[in-house]
Tab-separated table of all heavy atoms in Angstrom:
chain	number	residue	atom	x	y	z
A	25	MET	N	-16.347	-11.672	-17.847
A	25	MET	CA	-15.075	-12.369	-18.086
A	25	MET	C	-15.047	-13.692	-17.276
A	25	MET	O	-15.391	-13.693	-16.141
A	25	MET	CB	-13.841	-11.495	-17.768
A	25	MET	CG	-12.589	-12.087	-18.172
A	25	MET	SD	-11.219	-11.042	-17.936
A	25	MET	CE	-10.896	-11.225	-16.163
A	26	THR	N	-14.679	-14.745	-17.929
A	26	THR	CA	-14.578	-16.079	-17.258
A	26	THR	C	-13.401	-16.058	-16.253
A	26	THR	O	-12.315	-15.635	-16.690
A	26	THR	CB	-14.450	-17.203	-18.268
A	26	THR	OG1	-15.506	-17.116	-19.182
A	26	THR	CG2	-14.510	-18.549	-17.595
A	27	GLU	N	-13.665	-16.536	-15.090
A	27	GLU	CA	-12.543	-16.654	-14.100
A	27	GLU	C	-12.277	-18.151	-13.868
A	27	GLU	O	-13.180	-18.902	-14.038
A	27	GLU	CB	-12.869	-15.979	-12.867
A	27	GLU	CG	-13.029	-14.441	-13.035
A	27	GLU	CD	-13.234	-13.678	-11.676
A	27	GLU	OE1	-14.015	-14.213	-10.838
A	27	GLU	OE2	-12.603	-12.685	-11.536
A	28	HIS	N	-11.078	-18.448	-13.441
A	28	HIS	CA	-10.747	-19.805	-13.141
A	28	HIS	C	-10.159	-19.929	-11.736
A	28	HIS	O	-9.547	-19.087	-11.337
A	28	HIS	CB	-9.736	-20.322	-14.153
A	28	HIS	CG	-10.210	-20.314	-15.633
A	28	HIS	ND1	-10.306	-19.225	-16.381
A	28	HIS	CD2	-10.653	-21.343	-16.355
A	28	HIS	CE1	-10.757	-19.634	-17.616
A	28	HIS	NE2	-10.970	-20.942	-17.570
A	29	GLN	N	-10.407	-21.128	-11.198
A	29	GLN	CA	-9.973	-21.431	-9.919
A	29	GLN	C	-9.561	-22.884	-9.882
A	29	GLN	O	-10.088	-23.785	-10.393
A	29	GLN	CB	-11.063	-21.157	-8.906
A	29	GLN	CG	-10.535	-20.953	-7.472
A	29	GLN	CD	-11.553	-20.211	-6.569
A	29	GLN	OE1	-12.635	-19.973	-7.011
A	29	GLN	NE2	-11.121	-19.862	-5.442
A	30	LEU	N	-8.493	-23.154	-9.097
A	30	LEU	CA	-7.917	-24.512	-8.922
A	30	LEU	C	-8.866	-25.313	-7.920
A	30	LEU	O	-9.294	-24.683	-6.935
A	30	LEU	CB	-6.548	-24.468	-8.507
A	30	LEU	CG	-5.508	-24.000	-9.584
A	30	LEU	CD1	-4.146	-23.729	-8.859
A	30	LEU	CD2	-5.363	-25.026	-10.687
A	31	GLU	N	-9.034	-26.565	-8.170
A	31	GLU	CA	-9.693	-27.442	-7.220
A	31	GLU	C	-8.922	-28.771	-7.111
A	31	GLU	O	-8.282	-29.174	-8.070
A	31	GLU	CB	-11.043	-27.736	-7.672
A	31	GLU	CG	-12.048	-26.534	-7.563
A	31	GLU	CD	-13.457	-26.883	-7.834
A	31	GLU	OE1	-13.770	-28.022	-8.156
A	31	GLU	OE2	-14.291	-25.993	-7.784
A	32	ILE	N	-9.030	-29.396	-6.044
A	32	ILE	CA	-8.372	-30.795	-5.849
A	32	ILE	C	-9.475	-31.795	-5.589
A	32	ILE	O	-10.329	-31.586	-4.778
A	32	ILE	CB	-7.362	-30.640	-4.737
A	32	ILE	CG1	-6.213	-29.694	-5.073
A	32	ILE	CG2	-6.792	-32.058	-4.398
A	32	ILE	CD1	-5.301	-29.386	-4.020
A	33	ASP	N	-9.312	-32.942	-6.350
A	33	ASP	CA	-10.185	-34.059	-6.059
A	33	ASP	C	-9.466	-34.869	-4.979
A	33	ASP	O	-8.536	-35.604	-5.282
A	33	ASP	CB	-10.339	-34.835	-7.317
A	33	ASP	CG	-11.234	-36.065	-7.149
A	33	ASP	OD1	-11.467	-36.482	-5.992
A	33	ASP	OD2	-11.679	-36.601	-8.146
A	34	TRP	N	-10.022	-34.732	-3.732
A	34	TRP	CA	-9.315	-35.433	-2.649
A	34	TRP	C	-9.403	-36.946	-2.663
A	34	TRP	O	-8.669	-37.616	-1.914
A	34	TRP	CB	-9.863	-34.885	-1.271
A	34	TRP	CG	-9.616	-33.489	-1.040
A	34	TRP	CD1	-10.428	-32.435	-1.126
A	34	TRP	CD2	-8.276	-32.894	-0.852
A	34	TRP	NE1	-9.746	-31.247	-1.009
A	34	TRP	CE2	-8.459	-31.538	-0.805
A	34	TRP	CE3	-6.972	-33.436	-0.745
A	34	TRP	CZ2	-7.391	-30.622	-0.674
A	34	TRP	CZ3	-5.884	-32.440	-0.573
A	34	TRP	CH2	-6.097	-31.175	-0.518
A	35	THR	N	-10.293	-37.500	-3.477
A	35	THR	CA	-10.364	-38.943	-3.566
A	35	THR	C	-9.219	-39.425	-4.497
A	35	THR	O	-8.941	-40.635	-4.487
A	35	THR	CB	-11.676	-39.342	-4.212
A	35	THR	OG1	-11.753	-38.922	-5.580
A	35	THR	CG2	-12.900	-38.836	-3.470
A	36	ARG	N	-8.509	-38.529	-5.131
A	36	ARG	CA	-7.404	-38.908	-6.066
A	36	ARG	C	-6.117	-38.486	-5.536
A	36	ARG	O	-5.078	-39.158	-5.797
A	36	ARG	CB	-7.590	-38.356	-7.410
A	36	ARG	CG	-8.831	-39.000	-8.178
A	36	ARG	CD	-8.936	-38.300	-9.537
A	36	ARG	NE	-9.928	-38.958	-10.407
A	36	ARG	CZ	-9.506	-39.878	-11.339
A	36	ARG	NH1	-8.248	-40.178	-11.506
A	36	ARG	NH2	-10.425	-40.484	-12.092
A	37	CYS	N	-6.012	-37.293	-4.907
A	37	CYS	CA	-4.717	-36.736	-4.582
A	37	CYS	C	-3.869	-37.676	-3.716
A	37	CYS	O	-4.283	-38.204	-2.687
A	37	CYS	CB	-4.865	-35.423	-3.886
A	37	CYS	SG	-3.342	-34.679	-3.396
A	38	ASP	N	-2.669	-37.914	-4.103
A	38	ASP	CA	-1.655	-38.818	-3.383
A	38	ASP	C	-0.496	-38.051	-2.803
A	38	ASP	O	0.521	-38.618	-2.450
A	38	ASP	CB	-1.129	-39.861	-4.321
A	38	ASP	CG	-2.211	-40.974	-4.574
A	38	ASP	OD1	-2.967	-41.218	-3.745
A	38	ASP	OD2	-2.099	-41.636	-5.667
A	39	ALA	N	-0.661	-36.721	-2.702
A	39	ALA	CA	0.376	-35.892	-2.095
A	39	ALA	C	1.781	-35.934	-2.782
A	39	ALA	O	2.731	-36.054	-2.117
A	39	ALA	CB	0.548	-36.262	-0.558
A	40	HIS	N	1.703	-36.039	-4.113
A	40	HIS	CA	3.003	-36.034	-4.806
A	40	HIS	C	3.650	-34.652	-4.642
A	40	HIS	O	4.876	-34.580	-4.854
A	40	HIS	CB	2.698	-36.278	-6.345
A	40	HIS	CG	2.242	-37.687	-6.626
A	40	HIS	ND1	3.055	-38.756	-6.563
A	40	HIS	CD2	1.008	-38.122	-6.861
A	40	HIS	CE1	2.363	-39.842	-6.843
A	40	HIS	NE2	1.064	-39.515	-7.054
A	41	GLY	N	2.854	-33.576	-4.583
A	41	GLY	CA	3.458	-32.256	-4.320
A	41	GLY	C	3.879	-31.557	-5.563
A	41	GLY	O	4.372	-30.395	-5.444
A	42	LEU	N	3.668	-32.080	-6.657
A	42	LEU	CA	4.129	-31.464	-7.906
A	42	LEU	C	3.411	-30.114	-8.133
A	42	LEU	O	4.071	-29.126	-8.624
A	42	LEU	CB	3.979	-32.393	-9.073
A	42	LEU	CG	4.475	-31.981	-10.444
A	42	LEU	CD1	6.005	-31.811	-10.335
A	42	LEU	CD2	4.130	-33.056	-11.467
A	43	CYS	N	2.156	-30.061	-7.791
A	43	CYS	CA	1.400	-28.839	-7.979
A	43	CYS	C	2.014	-27.657	-7.202
A	43	CYS	O	2.071	-26.535	-7.755
A	43	CYS	CB	-0.071	-29.007	-7.613
A	43	CYS	SG	-0.350	-29.672	-5.975
A	44	ALA	N	2.537	-27.844	-6.067
A	44	ALA	CA	3.097	-26.787	-5.278
A	44	ALA	C	4.417	-26.383	-5.978
A	44	ALA	O	4.769	-25.135	-5.806
A	44	ALA	CB	3.400	-27.208	-3.852
A	45	THR	N	5.129	-27.237	-6.506
A	45	THR	CA	6.298	-26.877	-7.193
A	45	THR	C	6.069	-26.079	-8.448
A	45	THR	O	6.744	-25.003	-8.733
A	45	THR	CB	7.140	-28.159	-7.618
A	45	THR	OG1	7.416	-28.927	-6.462
A	45	THR	CG2	8.390	-27.815	-8.285
A	46	LEU	N	4.980	-26.479	-9.190
A	46	LEU	CA	4.749	-25.719	-10.405
A	46	LEU	C	3.890	-24.497	-10.231
A	46	LEU	O	4.078	-23.581	-11.122
A	46	LEU	CB	3.892	-26.679	-11.373
A	46	LEU	CG	4.591	-27.990	-11.788
A	46	LEU	CD1	3.719	-28.898	-12.567
A	46	LEU	CD2	5.831	-27.615	-12.688
A	47	LEU	N	3.195	-24.429	-9.155
A	47	LEU	CA	2.371	-23.212	-8.948
A	47	LEU	C	2.525	-22.702	-7.518
A	47	LEU	O	1.584	-22.655	-6.692
A	47	LEU	CB	0.833	-23.570	-9.177
A	47	LEU	CG	0.513	-24.033	-10.552
A	47	LEU	CD1	-0.983	-24.652	-10.457
A	47	LEU	CD2	0.559	-23.023	-11.568
A	48	PRO	N	3.707	-22.209	-7.205
A	48	PRO	CA	3.992	-21.867	-5.847
A	48	PRO	C	3.080	-20.627	-5.329
A	48	PRO	O	2.946	-20.522	-4.124
A	48	PRO	CB	5.489	-21.454	-5.881
A	48	PRO	CG	5.799	-21.180	-7.280
A	48	PRO	CD	4.795	-22.038	-8.127
A	49	ASP	N	2.581	-19.790	-6.266
A	49	ASP	CA	1.718	-18.702	-5.846
A	49	ASP	C	0.366	-19.211	-5.532
A	49	ASP	O	-0.424	-18.449	-4.902
A	49	ASP	CB	1.666	-17.650	-6.919
A	49	ASP	CG	2.944	-16.989	-7.150
A	49	ASP	OD1	3.773	-16.950	-6.287
A	49	ASP	OD2	3.166	-16.354	-8.226
A	50	ASP	N	0.006	-20.373	-5.951
A	50	ASP	CA	-1.351	-20.892	-5.661
A	50	ASP	C	-1.486	-22.040	-4.733
A	50	ASP	O	-2.526	-22.268	-4.172
A	50	ASP	CB	-2.004	-21.390	-7.069
A	50	ASP	CG	-2.084	-20.194	-8.023
A	50	ASP	OD1	-2.961	-19.434	-7.869
A	50	ASP	OD2	-1.256	-20.211	-9.009
A	51	VAL	N	-0.384	-22.763	-4.573
A	51	VAL	CA	-0.450	-23.988	-3.767
A	51	VAL	C	0.744	-24.070	-2.738
A	51	VAL	O	1.916	-23.869	-3.177
A	51	VAL	CB	-0.416	-25.242	-4.632
A	51	VAL	CG1	-0.603	-26.472	-3.891
A	51	VAL	CG2	-1.444	-25.178	-5.761
A	52	THR	N	0.397	-24.355	-1.593
A	52	THR	CA	1.529	-24.718	-0.605
A	52	THR	C	1.181	-26.207	-0.127
A	52	THR	O	0.141	-26.769	-0.523
A	52	THR	CB	1.515	-23.827	0.585
A	52	THR	OG1	0.217	-23.919	1.263
A	52	THR	CG2	1.818	-22.474	0.238
A	53	LEU	N	2.137	-26.788	0.646
A	53	LEU	CA	1.896	-28.148	1.110
A	53	LEU	C	1.790	-28.118	2.556
A	53	LEU	O	2.468	-27.385	3.381
A	53	LEU	CB	3.090	-29.016	0.673
A	53	LEU	CG	3.344	-29.195	-0.775
A	53	LEU	CD1	4.552	-30.051	-1.023
A	53	LEU	CD2	2.207	-29.777	-1.560
A	54	ASP	N	0.891	-29.005	3.066
A	54	ASP	CA	0.834	-29.169	4.593
A	54	ASP	C	1.925	-30.077	5.126
A	54	ASP	O	2.707	-30.514	4.281
A	54	ASP	CB	-0.560	-29.596	4.949
A	54	ASP	CG	-0.895	-30.993	4.669
A	54	ASP	OD1	-0.037	-31.825	4.242
A	54	ASP	OD2	-2.130	-31.360	4.681
A	55	GLU	N	1.894	-30.330	6.345
A	55	GLU	CA	3.009	-31.107	6.930
A	55	GLU	C	3.079	-32.542	6.481
A	55	GLU	O	4.128	-33.173	6.618
A	55	GLU	CB	2.946	-31.028	8.435
A	55	GLU	CG	1.608	-31.530	9.005
A	55	GLU	CD	1.499	-31.338	10.535
A	55	GLU	OE1	2.229	-31.795	11.302
A	55	GLU	OE2	0.545	-30.574	10.874
A	56	TRP	N	1.935	-33.038	5.789
A	56	TRP	CA	1.926	-34.391	5.346
A	56	TRP	C	2.184	-34.369	3.823
A	56	TRP	O	2.160	-35.401	3.195
A	56	TRP	CB	0.705	-35.074	5.635
A	56	TRP	CG	0.400	-35.263	7.145
A	56	TRP	CD1	0.992	-36.262	7.892
A	56	TRP	CD2	-0.388	-34.403	7.941
A	56	TRP	NE1	0.546	-36.028	9.177
A	56	TRP	CE2	-0.313	-34.937	9.246
A	56	TRP	CE3	-1.190	-33.317	7.713
A	56	TRP	CZ2	-0.926	-34.342	10.352
A	56	TRP	CZ3	-1.828	-32.721	8.737
A	56	TRP	CH2	-1.757	-33.252	10.016
A	57	GLY	N	2.373	-33.177	3.289
A	57	GLY	CA	2.664	-33.144	1.814
A	57	GLY	C	1.422	-32.958	0.938
A	57	GLY	O	1.597	-32.959	-0.249
A	58	PHE	N	0.307	-32.803	1.592
A	58	PHE	CA	-0.936	-32.597	0.769
A	58	PHE	C	-1.030	-31.097	0.496
A	58	PHE	O	-0.651	-30.211	1.239
A	58	PHE	CB	-2.143	-33.085	1.563
A	58	PHE	CG	-2.337	-34.524	1.461
A	58	PHE	CD1	-1.775	-35.339	2.546
A	58	PHE	CD2	-3.007	-35.116	0.479
A	58	PHE	CE1	-1.914	-36.699	2.434
A	58	PHE	CE2	-3.145	-36.516	0.384
A	58	PHE	CZ	-2.607	-37.233	1.436
A	59	PRO	N	-1.689	-30.796	-0.714
A	59	PRO	CA	-1.692	-29.422	-1.126
A	59	PRO	C	-2.739	-28.603	-0.393
A	59	PRO	O	-3.768	-29.098	0.020
A	59	PRO	CB	-2.087	-29.536	-2.616
A	59	PRO	CG	-2.772	-30.837	-2.771
A	59	PRO	CD	-2.181	-31.753	-1.664
A	60	VAL	N	-2.377	-27.331	-0.189
A	60	VAL	CA	-3.261	-26.359	0.368
A	60	VAL	C	-3.358	-25.224	-0.629
A	60	VAL	O	-2.451	-24.540	-0.973
A	60	VAL	CB	-2.800	-25.823	1.756
A	60	VAL	CG1	-3.731	-24.759	2.325
A	60	VAL	CG2	-2.522	-26.911	2.725
A	61	LEU	N	-4.614	-25.036	-1.085
A	61	LEU	CA	-4.860	-24.091	-2.137
A	61	LEU	C	-4.988	-22.703	-1.466
A	61	LEU	O	-5.647	-22.624	-0.358
A	61	LEU	CB	-6.157	-24.284	-2.874
A	61	LEU	CG	-6.121	-25.644	-3.738
A	61	LEU	CD1	-7.463	-25.793	-4.420
A	61	LEU	CD2	-5.034	-25.553	-4.832
A	62	ARG	N	-4.409	-21.703	-2.096
A	62	ARG	CA	-4.445	-20.309	-1.457
A	62	ARG	C	-5.832	-19.695	-1.737
A	62	ARG	O	-6.190	-18.658	-1.171
A	62	ARG	CB	-3.384	-19.461	-1.987
A	62	ARG	CG	-1.986	-19.896	-1.594
A	62	ARG	CD	-0.939	-18.849	-2.123
A	62	ARG	NE	0.345	-19.393	-2.087
A	62	ARG	CZ	1.153	-19.342	-0.999
A	62	ARG	NH1	0.791	-18.763	0.152
A	62	ARG	NH2	2.388	-19.783	-1.096
A	63	GLY	N	-6.595	-20.314	-2.681
A	63	GLY	CA	-7.981	-19.881	-2.945
A	63	GLY	C	-8.024	-18.644	-3.868
A	63	GLY	O	-9.164	-18.131	-3.957
A	64	ARG	N	-6.980	-18.185	-4.437
A	64	ARG	CA	-7.022	-17.018	-5.290
A	64	ARG	C	-7.443	-17.428	-6.630
A	64	ARG	O	-7.296	-18.571	-7.033
A	64	ARG	CB	-5.673	-16.303	-5.307
A	64	ARG	CG	-4.608	-17.165	-5.748
A	64	ARG	CD	-3.240	-16.588	-5.407
A	64	ARG	NE	-2.826	-15.520	-6.398
A	64	ARG	CZ	-2.367	-15.830	-7.642
A	64	ARG	NH1	-2.146	-17.060	-8.091
A	64	ARG	NH2	-2.075	-14.777	-8.438
A	65	ARG	N	-8.020	-16.505	-7.374
A	65	ARG	CA	-8.343	-16.713	-8.787
A	65	ARG	C	-7.129	-16.856	-9.594
A	65	ARG	O	-6.100	-16.188	-9.323
A	65	ARG	CB	-9.245	-15.642	-9.345
A	65	ARG	CG	-10.458	-15.362	-8.525
A	65	ARG	CD	-11.689	-15.881	-9.221
A	65	ARG	NE	-12.879	-15.521	-8.537
A	65	ARG	CZ	-13.636	-16.369	-7.838
A	65	ARG	NH1	-13.276	-17.599	-7.751
A	65	ARG	NH2	-14.691	-16.036	-7.223
A	66	VAL	N	-7.161	-17.768	-10.616
A	66	VAL	CA	-6.011	-17.796	-11.546
A	66	VAL	C	-6.129	-16.663	-12.557
A	66	VAL	O	-7.229	-16.582	-13.256
A	66	VAL	CB	-6.048	-19.222	-12.205
A	66	VAL	CG1	-4.950	-19.276	-13.299
A	66	VAL	CG2	-5.956	-20.323	-11.232
A	67	THR	N	-5.202	-15.890	-12.635
A	67	THR	CA	-5.303	-14.761	-13.525
A	67	THR	C	-5.052	-15.206	-14.982
A	67	THR	O	-4.480	-16.270	-15.243
A	67	THR	CB	-4.175	-13.674	-13.309
A	67	THR	OG1	-2.894	-14.281	-13.497
A	67	THR	CG2	-4.297	-13.201	-11.821
A	68	PRO	N	-5.541	-14.471	-16.032
A	68	PRO	CA	-5.395	-14.875	-17.388
A	68	PRO	C	-3.953	-15.185	-17.749
A	68	PRO	O	-3.630	-16.104	-18.444
A	68	PRO	CB	-5.864	-13.680	-18.203
A	68	PRO	CG	-6.894	-13.060	-17.291
A	68	PRO	CD	-6.333	-13.270	-15.912
A	69	SER	N	-2.975	-14.414	-17.242
A	69	SER	CA	-1.629	-14.715	-17.551
A	69	SER	C	-1.053	-15.904	-16.931
A	69	SER	O	0.029	-16.408	-17.316
A	69	SER	CB	-0.758	-13.441	-17.181
A	69	SER	OG	-0.770	-13.297	-15.790
A	70	GLU	N	-1.736	-16.445	-15.912
A	70	GLU	CA	-1.298	-17.627	-15.203
A	70	GLU	C	-1.938	-18.964	-15.803
A	70	GLU	O	-1.592	-20.035	-15.325
A	70	GLU	CB	-1.577	-17.547	-13.751
A	70	GLU	CG	-0.854	-16.507	-13.020
A	70	GLU	CD	-1.403	-16.198	-11.609
A	70	GLU	OE1	-2.554	-16.474	-11.361
A	70	GLU	OE2	-0.598	-15.770	-10.836
A	71	LEU	N	-2.916	-18.733	-16.680
A	71	LEU	CA	-3.688	-19.805	-17.171
A	71	LEU	C	-2.874	-20.952	-17.835
A	71	LEU	O	-3.066	-22.095	-17.523
A	71	LEU	CB	-4.757	-19.396	-18.131
A	71	LEU	CG	-6.246	-19.218	-17.588
A	71	LEU	CD1	-7.091	-18.733	-18.709
A	71	LEU	CD2	-6.674	-20.468	-16.826
A	72	THR	N	-2.029	-20.555	-18.634
A	72	THR	CA	-1.140	-21.640	-19.330
A	72	THR	C	-0.408	-22.459	-18.296
A	72	THR	O	-0.440	-23.650	-18.437
A	72	THR	CB	-0.134	-20.976	-20.328
A	72	THR	OG1	-0.902	-20.235	-21.237
A	72	THR	CG2	0.710	-21.987	-21.069
A	73	ASN	N	0.242	-21.825	-17.297
A	73	ASN	CA	0.994	-22.594	-16.424
A	73	ASN	C	0.016	-23.442	-15.464
A	73	ASN	O	0.343	-24.574	-15.158
A	73	ASN	CB	1.746	-21.663	-15.400
A	73	ASN	CG	3.106	-21.348	-15.906
A	73	ASN	OD1	3.555	-22.036	-16.859
A	73	ASN	ND2	3.738	-20.408	-15.316
A	74	ALA	N	-1.150	-22.921	-15.171
A	74	ALA	CA	-2.117	-23.687	-14.365
A	74	ALA	C	-2.578	-24.914	-15.188
A	74	ALA	O	-2.704	-26.013	-14.660
A	74	ALA	CB	-3.292	-22.846	-14.035
A	75	ARG	N	-2.813	-24.780	-16.508
A	75	ARG	CA	-3.275	-25.917	-17.294
A	75	ARG	C	-2.075	-26.909	-17.384
A	75	ARG	O	-2.367	-28.151	-17.331
A	75	ARG	CB	-3.604	-25.394	-18.741
A	75	ARG	CG	-4.930	-24.678	-18.706
A	75	ARG	CD	-5.367	-24.451	-20.168
A	75	ARG	NE	-6.731	-23.864	-20.137
A	75	ARG	CZ	-7.068	-22.658	-20.622
A	75	ARG	NH1	-6.176	-21.908	-21.218
A	75	ARG	NH2	-8.362	-22.192	-20.514
A	76	ARG	N	-0.897	-26.497	-17.456
A	76	ARG	CA	0.333	-27.502	-17.489
A	76	ARG	C	0.310	-28.249	-16.216
A	76	ARG	O	0.557	-29.476	-16.175
A	76	ARG	CB	1.548	-26.712	-17.680
A	76	ARG	CG	1.817	-26.264	-19.091
A	76	ARG	CD	3.245	-25.786	-19.351
A	76	ARG	NE	3.367	-25.268	-20.636
A	76	ARG	CZ	3.869	-24.022	-20.895
A	76	ARG	NH1	4.300	-23.233	-19.972
A	76	ARG	NH2	3.953	-23.540	-22.130
A	77	ALA	N	0.106	-27.546	-15.082
A	77	ALA	CA	0.166	-28.212	-13.776
A	77	ALA	C	-0.979	-29.293	-13.735
A	77	ALA	O	-0.845	-30.327	-13.191
A	77	ALA	CB	0.003	-27.220	-12.681
A	78	VAL	N	-2.237	-28.886	-14.235
A	78	VAL	CA	-3.319	-29.827	-14.211
A	78	VAL	C	-2.939	-31.127	-15.041
A	78	VAL	O	-3.103	-32.265	-14.561
A	78	VAL	CB	-4.567	-29.202	-14.796
A	78	VAL	CG1	-5.669	-30.225	-15.167
A	78	VAL	CG2	-5.137	-28.172	-13.824
A	79	LEU	N	-2.316	-30.915	-16.127
A	79	LEU	CA	-1.931	-32.052	-16.959
A	79	LEU	C	-0.776	-32.844	-16.276
A	79	LEU	O	-0.658	-34.124	-16.614
A	79	LEU	CB	-1.473	-31.604	-18.333
A	79	LEU	CG	-2.647	-30.969	-19.249
A	79	LEU	CD1	-2.116	-30.481	-20.541
A	79	LEU	CD2	-3.740	-32.104	-19.513
A	80	ALA	N	0.042	-32.205	-15.596
A	80	ALA	CA	1.168	-32.832	-14.941
A	80	ALA	C	0.870	-33.613	-13.700
A	80	ALA	O	1.714	-34.470	-13.202
A	80	ALA	CB	2.287	-31.846	-14.669
A	81	CYS	N	-0.283	-33.339	-13.086
A	81	CYS	CA	-0.639	-34.068	-11.852
A	81	CYS	C	-0.599	-35.567	-12.075
A	81	CYS	O	-1.443	-36.086	-12.869
A	81	CYS	CB	-1.954	-33.535	-11.322
A	81	CYS	SG	-2.550	-34.549	-9.893
A	82	PRO	N	0.204	-36.365	-11.395
A	82	PRO	CA	0.258	-37.784	-11.591
A	82	PRO	C	-0.988	-38.508	-11.274
A	82	PRO	O	-1.182	-39.570	-11.779
A	82	PRO	CB	1.419	-38.203	-10.729
A	82	PRO	CG	2.106	-37.044	-10.263
A	82	PRO	CD	1.189	-35.859	-10.421
A	83	ALA	N	-1.758	-37.919	-10.361
A	83	ALA	CA	-3.028	-38.595	-9.918
A	83	ALA	C	-4.283	-38.043	-10.618
A	83	ALA	O	-5.392	-38.487	-10.241
A	83	ALA	CB	-3.142	-38.490	-8.426
A	84	LEU	N	-4.109	-37.118	-11.501
A	84	LEU	CA	-5.244	-36.483	-12.159
A	84	LEU	C	-6.196	-35.878	-11.136
A	84	LEU	O	-7.434	-35.918	-11.330
A	84	LEU	CB	-6.056	-37.462	-13.133
A	84	LEU	CG	-5.156	-38.125	-14.237
A	84	LEU	CD1	-6.003	-39.113	-15.001
A	84	LEU	CD2	-4.507	-37.168	-15.179
A	85	ALA	N	-5.594	-35.377	-10.098
A	85	ALA	CA	-6.400	-34.857	-8.950
A	85	ALA	C	-6.607	-33.239	-9.109
A	85	ALA	O	-7.496	-32.760	-8.430
A	85	ALA	CB	-5.807	-35.166	-7.664
A	86	LEU	N	-5.778	-32.624	-9.839
A	86	LEU	CA	-5.758	-31.170	-9.863
A	86	LEU	C	-6.673	-30.772	-11.005
A	86	LEU	O	-6.638	-31.244	-12.121
A	86	LEU	CB	-4.356	-30.634	-10.142
A	86	LEU	CG	-4.204	-29.103	-10.010
A	86	LEU	CD1	-4.573	-28.635	-8.573
A	86	LEU	CD2	-2.811	-28.708	-10.350
A	87	ARG	N	-7.661	-29.852	-10.771
A	87	ARG	CA	-8.600	-29.433	-11.746
A	87	ARG	C	-8.625	-27.851	-11.827
A	87	ARG	O	-8.299	-27.221	-10.848
A	87	ARG	CB	-9.947	-29.867	-11.444
A	87	ARG	CG	-9.953	-31.412	-11.295
A	87	ARG	CD	-11.236	-32.003	-11.760
A	87	ARG	NE	-11.154	-33.505	-11.694
A	87	ARG	CZ	-11.846	-34.291	-10.956
A	87	ARG	NH1	-12.820	-33.800	-10.281
A	87	ARG	NH2	-11.646	-35.604	-10.933
A	88	LEU	N	-9.064	-27.465	-12.999
A	88	LEU	CA	-9.238	-25.988	-13.239
A	88	LEU	C	-10.641	-25.766	-13.487
A	88	LEU	O	-11.207	-26.277	-14.451
A	88	LEU	CB	-8.313	-25.503	-14.411
A	88	LEU	CG	-7.935	-24.080	-14.549
A	88	LEU	CD1	-7.341	-23.489	-13.242
A	88	LEU	CD2	-6.997	-23.922	-15.714
A	89	GLN	N	-11.358	-25.049	-12.599
A	89	GLN	CA	-12.765	-24.894	-12.752
A	89	GLN	C	-13.073	-23.404	-13.107
A	89	GLN	O	-12.478	-22.462	-12.683
A	89	GLN	CB	-13.533	-25.118	-11.375
A	89	GLN	CG	-13.511	-26.556	-10.983
A	89	GLN	CD	-14.341	-27.503	-11.926
A	89	GLN	OE1	-15.241	-26.971	-12.520
A	89	GLN	NE2	-13.991	-28.792	-11.863
A	90	ARG	N	-13.979	-23.215	-14.074
A	90	ARG	CA	-14.490	-21.945	-14.370
A	90	ARG	C	-15.465	-21.427	-13.299
A	90	ARG	O	-16.300	-22.204	-12.885
A	90	ARG	CB	-15.266	-21.952	-15.715
A	90	ARG	CG	-14.251	-22.179	-16.950
A	90	ARG	CD	-15.038	-22.186	-18.172
A	90	ARG	NE	-14.220	-22.749	-19.261
A	90	ARG	CZ	-14.532	-22.726	-20.483
A	90	ARG	NH1	-15.617	-22.147	-20.901
A	90	ARG	NH2	-13.792	-23.297	-21.367
A	91	SER	N	-15.405	-20.161	-13.030
A	91	SER	CA	-16.320	-19.637	-12.061
A	91	SER	C	-16.963	-18.400	-12.593
A	91	SER	O	-16.558	-17.813	-13.641
A	91	SER	CB	-15.645	-19.349	-10.726
A	91	SER	OG	-14.513	-18.523	-10.982
B	8	SF4	S1	0.254	-32.875	-8.053
B	8	SF4	FE1	-1.734	-33.810	-7.930
B	8	SF4	S2	-1.502	-35.614	-6.617
B	8	SF4	FE2	0.328	-34.206	-6.259
B	8	SF4	S3	-0.241	-33.055	-4.499
B	8	SF4	FE3	-0.845	-31.878	-6.359
B	8	SF4	S4	-2.990	-32.462	-6.692
B	8	SF4	FE4	-2.111	-33.998	-5.247
């Protein structure tokens, strides 16, 4: 079964924080507002929300990788 994991392109991320709002189980923010990934796999039931968050990232920095 294909598994998915979130990744962040640090050359693009501008600390908008939207990903932590949309995916609170997967992302928290550090003291400067940059995302910290919890490193857990995205479950099949969470995939739709994860894809929405990827599309919503204003900096196109959030990615969903197959593993
Ligand atoms: S929404 Fe995008 S730009 Fe904003 S903190 Fe998350 S990854 Fe970075």
Side-chain angles (χ1 to χ4, degrees):
M25 189 173 77
T26 305
E27 294 186 319
H28 294 80
Q29 200 157 7
L30 290 166
E31 288 185 1
I32 293 167
D33 180 345
W34 294 111
T35 66
R36 290 178 171 264
C37 178
D38 282 332
H40 293 286
L42 189 58
C43 52
T45 301
L46 295 175
L47 301 171
D49 290 340
D50 297 288
V51 186
T52 58
L53 298 179
D54 70 13
E55 57 190 298
W56 296 282
F58 281 93
V60 178
L61 297 177
R62 294 185 196 271
R64 59 193 281 280
R65 303 253 185 256
V66 176
T67 65
S69 63
E70 296 168 331
L71 257 184
T72 300
N73 270 351
R75 287 190 174 120
R76 282 193 188 126
V78 166
L79 292 174
C81 172
L84 303 178
L86 188 63
R87 305 215 173 119
L88 198 53
Q89 292 292 340
R90 289 180 197 192
S91 55

